[in-house]
Tab-separated table of all heavy atoms in Angstrom:
chain	number	residue	atom	x	y	z
A	91	GLY	N	3.462	18.165	-13.771
A	91	GLY	CA	4.560	17.228	-13.706
A	91	GLY	C	5.466	17.401	-12.517
A	91	GLY	O	6.488	16.751	-12.409
A	92	GLU	N	5.121	18.329	-11.658
A	92	GLU	CA	5.924	18.560	-10.419
A	92	GLU	C	5.481	17.602	-9.333
A	92	GLU	O	4.321	17.216	-9.237
A	92	GLU	CB	5.730	19.983	-9.941
A	92	GLU	CG	6.165	21.061	-10.966
A	92	GLU	CD	7.681	20.979	-11.253
A	92	GLU	OE1	8.431	20.628	-10.334
A	92	GLU	OE2	8.061	21.250	-12.427
A	93	GLY	N	6.413	17.239	-8.464
A	93	GLY	CA	6.102	16.274	-7.415
A	93	GLY	C	5.311	16.836	-6.249
A	93	GLY	O	5.428	18.010	-5.951
A	94	LEU	N	4.513	15.965	-5.657
A	94	LEU	CA	3.811	16.322	-4.418
A	94	LEU	C	3.603	15.064	-3.630
A	94	LEU	O	3.526	13.941	-4.148
A	94	LEU	CB	2.485	17.047	-4.708
A	94	LEU	CG	1.485	16.341	-5.664
A	94	LEU	CD1	0.648	15.320	-4.938
A	94	LEU	CD2	0.567	17.420	-6.276
A	95	PHE	N	3.499	15.197	-2.288
A	95	PHE	CA	3.217	14.049	-1.431
A	95	PHE	C	1.751	13.687	-1.497
A	95	PHE	O	0.887	14.596	-1.483
A	95	PHE	CB	3.628	14.352	-0.006
A	95	PHE	CG	5.111	14.395	0.261
A	95	PHE	CD1	5.750	15.592	0.497
A	95	PHE	CD2	5.862	13.221	0.162
A	95	PHE	CE1	7.126	15.635	0.704
A	95	PHE	CE2	7.243	13.271	0.357
A	95	PHE	CZ	7.890	14.468	0.634
A	96	ASN	N	1.440	12.396	-1.506
A	96	ASN	CA	0.058	11.972	-1.562
A	96	ASN	C	-0.365	11.358	-0.215
A	96	ASN	O	0.347	11.499	0.782
A	96	ASN	CB	-0.185	11.022	-2.749
A	96	ASN	CG	0.668	9.753	-2.648
A	96	ASN	OD1	0.944	9.219	-1.577
A	96	ASN	ND2	1.082	9.242	-3.813
A	97	ALA	N	-1.460	10.623	-0.188
A	97	ALA	CA	-2.055	10.128	1.066
A	97	ALA	C	-1.199	9.118	1.780
A	97	ALA	O	-1.411	8.829	2.951
A	97	ALA	CB	-3.433	9.567	0.760
A	98	THR	N	-0.213	8.499	1.097
A	98	THR	CA	0.647	7.518	1.775
A	98	THR	C	1.992	8.099	2.203
A	98	THR	O	2.948	7.364	2.427
A	98	THR	CB	0.891	6.308	0.827
A	98	THR	OG1	1.538	6.764	-0.348
A	98	THR	CG2	-0.418	5.647	0.477
A	99	SER	N	2.082	9.416	2.318
A	99	SER	CA	3.353	10.071	2.637
A	99	SER	C	3.865	9.784	4.022
A	99	SER	O	5.010	10.201	4.359
A	99	SER	CB	3.214	11.568	2.403
A	99	SER	OG	2.232	12.117	3.212
A	100	ASP	N	3.125	9.105	4.865
A	100	ASP	CA	3.606	8.696	6.171
A	100	ASP	C	4.871	7.846	5.987
A	100	ASP	O	5.739	7.795	6.893
A	100	ASP	CB	2.536	7.966	6.974
A	100	ASP	CG	2.959	7.716	8.425
A	100	ASP	OD1	3.632	8.595	8.997
A	100	ASP	OD2	2.590	6.696	9.025
A	101	ARG	N	5.007	7.161	4.875
A	101	ARG	CA	6.201	6.393	4.609
A	101	ARG	C	7.437	7.291	4.576
A	101	ARG	O	8.464	6.932	5.180
A	101	ARG	CB	6.061	5.685	3.254
A	101	ARG	CG	4.942	4.690	3.122
A	101	ARG	CD	5.009	4.000	1.769
A	101	ARG	NE	3.760	3.244	1.478
A	101	ARG	CZ	3.593	2.474	0.408
A	101	ARG	NH1	4.562	2.374	-0.473
A	101	ARG	NH2	2.462	1.808	0.260
A	102	PHE	N	7.293	8.447	3.978
A	102	PHE	CA	8.415	9.413	3.928
A	102	PHE	C	8.717	9.910	5.334
A	102	PHE	O	9.888	10.004	5.725
A	102	PHE	CB	8.056	10.562	3.018
A	102	PHE	CG	9.127	11.654	2.986
A	102	PHE	CD1	10.168	11.541	2.064
A	102	PHE	CD2	9.103	12.713	3.827
A	102	PHE	CE1	11.166	12.547	2.003
A	102	PHE	CE2	10.070	13.717	3.795
A	102	PHE	CZ	11.125	13.619	2.856
A	103	ILE	N	7.736	10.256	6.065
A	103	ILE	CA	7.915	10.773	7.430
A	103	ILE	C	8.629	9.770	8.301
A	103	ILE	O	9.567	10.128	9.031
A	103	ILE	CB	6.521	11.141	8.053
A	103	ILE	CG1	5.853	12.288	7.294
A	103	ILE	CG2	6.675	11.544	9.530
A	103	ILE	CD1	4.432	12.525	7.680
A	104	GLN	N	8.214	8.518	8.217
A	104	GLN	CA	8.801	7.515	9.081
A	104	GLN	C	10.240	7.168	8.685
A	104	GLN	O	11.078	6.969	9.555
A	104	GLN	CB	7.930	6.207	9.052
A	104	GLN	CG	6.516	6.450	9.632
A	104	GLN	CD	6.509	7.010	11.018
A	104	GLN	OE1	7.370	6.631	11.842
A	104	GLN	NE2	5.557	7.816	11.332
A	105	VAL	N	10.547	7.086	7.397
A	105	VAL	CA	11.889	6.719	6.982
A	105	VAL	C	12.843	7.893	7.354
A	105	VAL	O	13.972	7.674	7.777
A	105	VAL	CB	11.982	6.386	5.467
A	105	VAL	CG1	11.892	7.647	4.595
A	105	VAL	CG2	13.295	5.670	5.188
A	106	LEU	N	12.379	9.136	7.211
A	106	LEU	CA	13.156	10.283	7.613
A	106	LEU	C	13.424	10.265	9.107
A	106	LEU	O	14.575	10.470	9.608
A	106	LEU	CB	12.497	11.549	7.206
A	106	LEU	CG	13.156	12.883	7.622
A	106	LEU	CD1	14.565	12.999	6.989
A	106	LEU	CD2	12.306	14.077	7.205
A	107	LYS	N	12.393	9.976	9.871
A	107	LYS	CA	12.530	9.948	11.322
A	107	LYS	C	13.451	8.843	11.750
A	107	LYS	O	14.304	9.045	12.647
A	107	LYS	CB	11.106	9.694	11.928
A	107	LYS	CG	11.128	9.579	13.442
A	107	LYS	CD	9.682	9.301	13.969
A	107	LYS	CE	9.719	9.043	15.475
A	107	LYS	NZ	8.297	8.742	15.956
A	108	LEU	N	13.335	7.660	11.159
A	108	LEU	CA	14.196	6.520	11.547
A	108	LEU	C	15.655	6.868	11.241
A	108	LEU	O	16.568	6.452	12.010
A	108	LEU	CB	13.796	5.264	10.760
A	108	LEU	CG	12.464	4.665	11.231
A	108	LEU	CD1	11.924	3.704	10.213
A	108	LEU	CD2	12.632	3.932	12.609
A	109	TYR	N	15.942	7.579	10.165
A	109	TYR	CA	17.309	7.932	9.871
A	109	TYR	C	17.782	8.988	10.897
A	109	TYR	O	18.908	8.892	11.408
A	109	TYR	CB	17.445	8.506	8.445
A	109	TYR	CG	18.856	8.993	8.178
A	109	TYR	CD1	19.867	8.069	7.876
A	109	TYR	CD2	19.185	10.336	8.342
A	109	TYR	CE1	21.190	8.522	7.688
A	109	TYR	CE2	20.506	10.754	8.145
A	109	TYR	CZ	21.501	9.817	7.826
A	109	TYR	OH	22.793	10.256	7.677
A	110	LYS	N	16.992	9.965	11.147
A	110	LYS	CA	17.377	11.038	12.065
A	110	LYS	C	17.656	10.577	13.460
A	110	LYS	O	18.557	11.108	14.176
A	110	LYS	CB	16.283	12.103	12.101
A	110	LYS	CG	16.182	12.924	10.832
A	110	LYS	CD	17.372	13.864	10.646
A	110	LYS	CE	17.196	14.839	9.501
A	110	LYS	NZ	18.348	15.737	9.370
A	111	VAL	N	16.954	9.541	13.957
A	111	VAL	CA	17.186	9.044	15.307
A	111	VAL	C	18.242	7.922	15.297
A	111	VAL	O	18.542	7.365	16.351
A	111	VAL	CB	15.876	8.538	15.945
A	111	VAL	CG1	14.872	9.674	16.040
A	111	VAL	CG2	15.304	7.367	15.185
A	112	GLY	N	18.817	7.619	14.139
A	112	GLY	CA	19.916	6.705	14.104
A	112	GLY	C	19.540	5.196	14.043
A	112	GLY	O	20.399	4.347	14.226
A	113	GLU	N	18.290	4.913	13.709
A	113	GLU	CA	17.888	3.492	13.631
A	113	GLU	C	18.300	2.869	12.298
A	113	GLU	O	18.521	1.633	12.236
A	113	GLU	CB	16.327	3.380	13.739
A	113	GLU	CG	15.767	3.919	15.039
A	113	GLU	CD	16.119	3.096	16.249
A	113	GLU	OE1	16.802	2.057	16.070
A	113	GLU	OE2	15.745	3.462	17.362
A	114	ILE	N	18.460	3.668	11.237
A	114	ILE	CA	18.905	3.180	9.944
A	114	ILE	C	20.077	4.010	9.499
A	114	ILE	O	20.131	5.220	9.763
A	114	ILE	CB	17.811	3.168	8.883
A	114	ILE	CG1	17.152	4.577	8.712
A	114	ILE	CG2	16.678	2.171	9.280
A	114	ILE	CD1	16.126	4.660	7.613
A	115	THR	N	20.991	3.400	8.777
A	115	THR	CA	22.168	4.196	8.312
A	115	THR	C	22.101	4.525	6.847
A	115	THR	O	22.805	5.398	6.395
A	115	THR	CB	23.471	3.377	8.573
A	115	THR	OG1	23.366	2.110	7.889
A	115	THR	CG2	23.664	3.105	10.064
A	116	HIS	N	21.259	3.825	6.061
A	116	HIS	CA	21.064	4.156	4.658
A	116	HIS	C	19.570	4.069	4.326
A	116	HIS	O	18.776	3.429	5.025
A	116	HIS	CB	21.815	3.154	3.752
A	116	HIS	CG	23.304	3.215	3.939
A	116	HIS	ND1	23.960	2.577	4.974
A	116	HIS	CD2	24.287	3.839	3.211
A	116	HIS	CE1	25.235	2.773	4.867
A	116	HIS	NE2	25.474	3.558	3.806
A	117	ILE	N	19.211	4.733	3.253
A	117	ILE	CA	17.818	4.759	2.760
A	117	ILE	C	17.777	4.285	1.320
A	117	ILE	O	18.532	4.799	0.496
A	117	ILE	CB	17.206	6.167	2.890
A	117	ILE	CG1	17.105	6.575	4.383
A	117	ILE	CG2	15.794	6.195	2.297
A	117	ILE	CD1	16.691	8.024	4.586
A	118	LEU	N	16.896	3.331	1.037
A	118	LEU	CA	16.652	2.904	-0.372
A	118	LEU	C	15.232	3.270	-0.708
A	118	LEU	O	14.278	2.685	-0.188
A	118	LEU	CB	16.898	1.419	-0.525
A	118	LEU	CG	16.471	0.790	-1.869
A	118	LEU	CD1	17.161	1.530	-3.005
A	118	LEU	CD2	16.788	-0.683	-1.874
A	119	VAL	N	15.081	4.239	-1.618
A	119	VAL	CA	13.779	4.629	-2.185
A	119	VAL	C	13.499	3.655	-3.286
A	119	VAL	O	14.172	3.744	-4.357
A	119	VAL	CB	13.707	6.071	-2.605
A	119	VAL	CG1	12.303	6.420	-3.099
A	119	VAL	CG2	14.144	6.970	-1.479
Side-chain angles (χ1 to χ4, degrees):
E92 299 295 328
L94 54 82
F95 287 110
N96 60 35
T98 60
S99 58
D100 190 35
R101 298 184 191 184
F102 177 87
I103 296 171
Q104 297 303 324
V105 75
L106 176 61
K107 178 181 175 181
L108 288 164
Y109 176 80
K110 288 291 188 178
V111 299
E113 301 290 359
I114 57 177
T115 59
H116 297 80
I117 296 172
L118 171 56
V119 182

